């Protein structure tokens, strides 16, 4: 099966407010204790920057699929059709590259998923070689493994590293997830009877497993024991619906980010799978996508998207909250609560 076939399948200060200032806001009076809130016109996310173009040179891509963020904000990209990994600084500046086409140690055939652990080791789903390769922080080859000896990996796409060094692999054409220990020893399988060609995978700090269940147009969440816990999504173009979702990430607050690939957008959900917002549309401009695949979340509210067929990475951020986020009435006076700006 070709690669293209799988891809497409705190307390604030108190101030008085002048009438002029009050008129500048839209106020909604609450029924409880005279509390007042301010409607915000801010978007859920904003375009931050992008980097990359089509090609085979440094900082150029050929259908980049997977993306991860490591220590110091380093950005790691599985440059799939160039059969290599590229590493960038937190601003998208090129740092290094490793890998070439082939089946030997440190060589790749359509690498798709990528993950980084706390020690800086890099894990790559070497898709068409049906294996995972592990590298040190400098891109030096460490090891490789190909799954359960009785039933090896078959076209693995997504990869994630959890607590204790466990390695989670979306074993795509086996329609399951395989779990390995920190040295690649097989531990268990997840979702054998539930998944259909899953491509994206993420793990939270509690060991819950989030899977972009691509051919089922849904997201499935399993607990740390591998038992089904939550499913959401269906086929379509509306909010909470998907068309071949391939990438998934979860942040420290439990929000779930899904690269809704063939709908050319990203959708964001609360920890219970409730739709929060979406961003993106079809195109090549800033904030537009052409088959977005990998997605990662990092510090400072940044969201990183491998914009695959536009051969670039786009970075978004949640906007800084307004200095004024709410008003309340205490002791007969208006109180303004403020949030500290993000550093």
């Amino acid at each position: 099966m070709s690669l293209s076939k799988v891809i497409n399948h705190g307390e604030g200060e108190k101030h008085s407010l002048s009438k002029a200032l009050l008129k500048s806001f839209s106020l909604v009076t609450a029924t409880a204790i005279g509390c007042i809130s301010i409607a915000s016109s801010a978007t859920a996310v904003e375009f931050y920057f992008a980097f990359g173009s089509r090609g085979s040179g440094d900082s150029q891509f050929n259908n980049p699929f997977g993306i991860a963020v490591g220590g110091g904000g380093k950005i790691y990209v599985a440059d799939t059709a160039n059969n290599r990994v590229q590493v960038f600084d937190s601003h998208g500046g090129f740092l290094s590259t490793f890998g070439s086409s082939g089946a030997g140690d440190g060589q790749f055939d359509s690498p798709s998923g990528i993950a980084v652990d706390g020690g800086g080791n890099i894990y790559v789903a070497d898709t068409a070689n049906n294996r995972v390769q592990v590298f040190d922080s400098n891109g030096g080859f460490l090891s490789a493994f190909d799954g359960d000896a009785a039933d090896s990996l078959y076209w693995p796409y997504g990869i994630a590293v959890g607590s204790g060094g466990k390695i989670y692999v979306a074993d795509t054409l086996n329609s399951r997830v395989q779990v390995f220990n920190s040295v690649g020893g097989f531990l268990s399988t997840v979702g054998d009877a539930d998944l259909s060609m899953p491509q994206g995978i993420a793990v939270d700090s509690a060991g819950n497993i989030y899977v972009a269940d691509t051919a089922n147009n849904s997201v499935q969440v399993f607990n740390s024991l591998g038992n089904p816990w939550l499913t959401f999504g269906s086929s379509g173009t509306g909010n909470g619906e998907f068309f071949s979702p391939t990438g998934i990430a979860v942040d420290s607050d439990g929000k779930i980010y899904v690269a809704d690939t063939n709908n050319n957008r990203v959708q964001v959900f609360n920890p219970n799978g409730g739709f929060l917002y979406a961003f993106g549309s079809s195109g090549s401009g800033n904030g537009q996508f052409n088959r977005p695949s990998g997605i990662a979340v990092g510090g400072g509210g940044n969201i990183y998207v491998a914009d695959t067929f536009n051969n670039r990475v786009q970075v978004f951020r949640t906007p800084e909250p307004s200095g004024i986020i709410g008003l309340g009435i205490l002791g007969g006076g208006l109180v303004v609560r403020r949030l500290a700006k993000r550093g």
Side-chain angles (χ1 to χ4, degrees):
M1 179 174 290
S2 70
L3 177 64
S4 61
K5 286 183 179 178
V6 178
I7 286 178
N8 287 319
H9 250 75
E11 278 298 323
E13 301 172 357
K14 297 181 180 180
H15 297 282
S16 61
L17 295 179
S18 66
K19 289 183 179 179
L21 181 57
L22 286 173
K23 287 180 181 179
S24 69
F25 295 103
S26 173
L27 300 179
V28 179
T29 303
T31 57
I33 328 175
C35 187
I36 303 172
S37 63
I38 298 175
S40 170
S41 61
T43 56
V45 299
E46 59 190 12
F47 173 80
Y48 191 18
F49 66 90
F51 60 93
S53 60
R54 183 174 177 82
S56 58
D58 294 345
S59 299
Q60 295 183 317
F61 300 114
N62 191 353
N63 292 350
F65 194 93
I67 190 165
V69 181
K74 284 184 179 178
I75 305 165
Y76 301 78
V77 182
D79 188 7
T80 303
N82 278 328
N83 292 302
R84 64 181 179 178
V85 169
Q86 294 196 66
V87 186
F88 303 86
D89 66 23
S90 60
H91 302 291
F94 175 81
L95 292 176
S96 63
T97 185
F98 61 91
S100 60
S101 179
D105 293 344
Q107 296 182 315
F108 301 114
D109 189 350
S110 302
S112 298
I114 191 165
V116 183
D117 68 17
N121 293 324
I122 305 161
Y123 302 75
V124 181
D126 187 10
T127 303
N129 279 327
N130 296 304
R131 65 182 178 179
V132 169
Q133 294 196 67
V134 186
F135 302 85
D136 65 24
S137 59
N138 296 314
F141 174 80
L142 292 176
S143 64
F145 57 92
D146 59 6
D148 179 1
D151 194 2
S152 60
L153 295 167
Y154 186 21
W155 220 264
Y157 261 79
I159 189 167
V161 181
S163 59
K166 285 184 179 179
I167 305 162
Y168 302 79
V169 181
D171 189 8
T172 301
L173 293 190
N174 278 326
S175 291
R176 63 182 181 178
V177 168
Q178 290 202 54
V179 185
F180 304 88
N181 64 22
S182 60
V183 295
F186 173 77
L187 294 176
S188 63
T189 61
V190 174
D192 297 73
D194 303 298
L195 301 171
S196 181
M197 295 183 66
Q199 292 187 33
I201 190 165
V203 182
D204 67 18
S205 58
N208 297 312
I209 306 162
Y210 301 75
V211 182
D213 192 7
T214 306
N216 280 329
N217 291 301
S218 66
V219 167
Q220 295 210 46
V221 185
F222 302 84
N223 66 19
S224 60
L225 300 176
N227 299 318
W229 173 56
L230 174 69
T231 301
F232 61 92
S234 59
S235 179
T237 59
N239 293 339
E241 297 179 325
F242 302 113
F243 187 7
S244 297
T246 58
I248 192 166
V250 59
D251 69 16
S252 58
D253 295 324
K255 290 194 294 292
I256 304 163
Y257 302 76
V258 182
D260 187 9
T261 302
N262 285 356
N263 279 326
N264 291 303
R265 64 183 178 179
V266 170
Q267 294 196 68
V268 184
F269 301 85
N270 68 25
N272 296 314
F275 174 82
L276 294 176
Y277 59 88
F279 61 94
S281 60
S282 179
S284 58
N286 292 341
Q288 296 183 314
F289 299 116
N290 189 353
R291 301 299 192 270
S293 299
I295 188 166
V297 292
N302 290 346
I303 305 165
Y304 304 78
V305 183
D307 188 8
T308 301
F309 288 177
N310 278 328
N311 292 295
R312 64 181 178 178
V313 169
Q314 293 197 68
V315 184
F316 302 83
R317 69 188 310 180
T318 52
E320 291 188 26
S322 169
I324 300 175
I325 64 165
L327 301 176
I329 297 177
L330 291 176
L334 283 170
V335 176
V336 182
R337 298 188 179 274
R338 300 176 182 270
L339 287 180
K341 288 189 175 182
R342 181 170 51 214

